[in-house]
């Protein structure tokens, strides 16, 4: 976001100029400061050595794998204790899944075979993990992305076999800003209370680092080139909204930033009520969730229920009954819910669909387009949503992802309405849809703008590519003009047009989006207080002025 136009709320206007700094992509709001500590790197594998006692090497293999699994389970239990009652069990689940990978008997058997073939324990483990990694990567899609998790396990197991410290989180005995090239799910999930903020060289807005940092309410900046070159102990400040890192802050400045942040959080936590500009113009504050576990109080409903998150690892299609149960659980706890039908493809492959690999998956059969080849999937899901809504009496709205043409919108609306679903909408995620927002609104009752994909397709920049973070920035005028066009179409039709991409949770952009005319903002629960506050600081006319500046 251009700073001269809209300074981040909570950022003191008279903050001293940073003596030096870096800029990455702010992915989890808040500010923090303190000494940085880098994560221990992976162990260096020494040259292979002749094996004198194969039995002893086999024991080392077993112990190393067991130690990795036990460590992950210990951290899972700690993560579970930390989050119990808050519903945030993502970390524990990730750690448990990794522990199961470390326990895989086939992996152990392969490593042991390596020893029997003459390798020492460390090399046998290295080779077995590498083979498993290749096999997983060859599967592509979601499972292919899990291949990187195996590298993390390999480094831990090899370190155990070599008797060197396991790579992973530092434990300096004082609060610190964690700096790393990238964070594995195991690292991110095991973060202790002494971590003030996260900064990584790699990663994007949808990386594990980003998702878990938001879940924990930790400020985080990703795609920050060069940050790992700073020495341990260097004092830095981190702005999780603007992505700015100032280097060389004094201890006193760091203490002041932490103090300001904790007062700011206390102030935000005390705010409540519906989203309103300073002069009372309503902008609904809604939640993005992947399951009932993500629900939190304080918002006005659910603006995006990503139903595919329920079924990401499934090999069999979820049955009608299973789906009814999952939707019912959410409908019972939230008054108004916008359910998005399954959004499969690219970053969210659903193995149970059995879709063939594609040359260019982001432009292929994804989102609503799956309906072209497997229409029964959408029919079953709409049946299940309608049934859960009937059973609970919930105000259930439904919307389709990746809609491109008015004809697609019309077909989706017809099928949803035929089942008695009262409010039917579509997501605007491709420029063609934004440019025909008025035509789409002739077919449906509302639009929800997915700025994550709309940025990807508007700027022809892969949303997972850390090197293209600047092109994915939703505050660019071209993207905001598309948002404005949709909002204007909504105003003319008298129908709601919301934003549910990550941009909606950015307190700097929120007044701009309100000024463009969007009627709701749907975001990760942790973002709600700051966005509510940002809206309340500006009149509608001030929001419009910001929108004019931002789209110029
Ligand atoms: C989006 O694309 O902005 C969106 C909300 O959908 P997802 O991030 O799930 O693709
Ligand atoms: Mg999307």
């Amino acid at each position: 976001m251009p700073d001269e136009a809209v300074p981040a709320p909570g950022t003191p206007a008279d903050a001293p100029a940073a003596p030096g700094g870096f800029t990455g992509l702010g992915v989890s709001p808040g500010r923090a400061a303190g000494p940085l500590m880098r994560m221990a790197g992976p162990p260096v594998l020494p040259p292979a050595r002749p094996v004198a006692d194969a039995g002893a090497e086999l024991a080392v293999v077993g112990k190393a794998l067991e130690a990795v699994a036990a460590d992950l389970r210990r951290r899972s239990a700690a993560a579970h204790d930390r989050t119990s009652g808050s519903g945030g069990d993502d970390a524990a689940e990730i750690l448990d899944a990794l522990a199961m990978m470390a326990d895989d008997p086939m992996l152990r058997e392969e490593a042991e075979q390596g020893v029997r073939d003459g390798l020492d324990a460390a090399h046998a483990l290295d080779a077995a993990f590498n083979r498993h990694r290749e096999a997983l990567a060859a599967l592509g899609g979601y499972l292919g992305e899990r291949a990187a998790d195996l590298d993390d396990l390999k480094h831990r197991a090899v370190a155990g076999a070599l008797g060197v410290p396991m790579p992973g989180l530092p434990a300096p005995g004082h609060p610190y800003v964690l700096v790393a090239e990238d964070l594995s799910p195991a690292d991110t999930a095991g973060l202790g209370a002494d971590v003030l903020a996260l900064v990584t060289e790699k990663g994007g807005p949808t990386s594990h680092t980003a998702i878990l940092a938001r879940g924990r309410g930790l400020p985080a900046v990703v795609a920050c080139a060069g940050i790992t070159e700073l020495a341990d102990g260097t004092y830095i400040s981190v702005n999780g909204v603007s992505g700015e890192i100032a280097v060389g802050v004094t201890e006193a400045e760091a203490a002041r930033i932490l103090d300001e942040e904790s007062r700011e959080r206390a102030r935000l936590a005390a705010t409540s009520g519906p989203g309103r500009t300073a002069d009372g113009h309503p902008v609904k504050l809604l939640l993005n969730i992947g399951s009932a576990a993500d629900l939190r109080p304080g918002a006005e409903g659910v603006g995006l229920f990503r139903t595919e998150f329920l079924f990401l690892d499934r090999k069999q299609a979820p049955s009608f009954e299973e789906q009814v149960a999952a939707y019912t659980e959410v409908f019972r706890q939230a008054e108004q819910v916008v359910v998005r039908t399954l959004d499969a493809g690219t970053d969210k492959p659903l193995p149970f669909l059995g879709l063939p690999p594609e040359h260019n998956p982001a432009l292929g059969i994804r989102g609503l387009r799956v309906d072209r080849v497997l229409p029964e999937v959408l029919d079953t899901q709409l049946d299940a949503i309608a049934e859960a809504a009937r059973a609970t009496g919930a105000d259930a709205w439904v919307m389709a992802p990746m809609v491109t043409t008015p004809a697609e919108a019309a077909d989706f609306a017809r099928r949803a309405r035929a089942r008695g679903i009262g409010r039917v909408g579509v997501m605007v995620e491709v420029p063609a849809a934004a440019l025909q927002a008025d035509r789409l609104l002739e077919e449906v009752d509302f639009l929800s703008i997915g700025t994550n994909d709309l940025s990807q397709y508007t700027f022809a920049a892969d949303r997972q590519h850390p090197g293209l973070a600047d092109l994915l920035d939703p505050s660019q005028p071209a993207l905001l003009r598309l948002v404005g066009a949709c909002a204007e179409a909504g105003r003319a039709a008298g129908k709601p047009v919301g934003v549910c991409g990550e941009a909606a949770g950015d307190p700097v952009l929120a007044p701009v989006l309100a000024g463009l005319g969007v009627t709701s903002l749907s975001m990760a629960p942790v973002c709600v207080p700051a966005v509510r506050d940002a809206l309340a600081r500006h009149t509608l006319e001030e929001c419009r002025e910001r929108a004019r500046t931002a789209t110029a």
Side-chain angles (χ1 to χ4, degrees), residues 304 306 340 343 348 427 429 450-453 463 500-501:
L304 170 62
R306 287 180 162 111
R340 176 173 75 182
D343 184 23
K348 292 167 291 212
M427 290 188 73
E429 302 187 273
T451 44
N452 307 337
D453 275 312
R463 64 187 268 185
C500 67

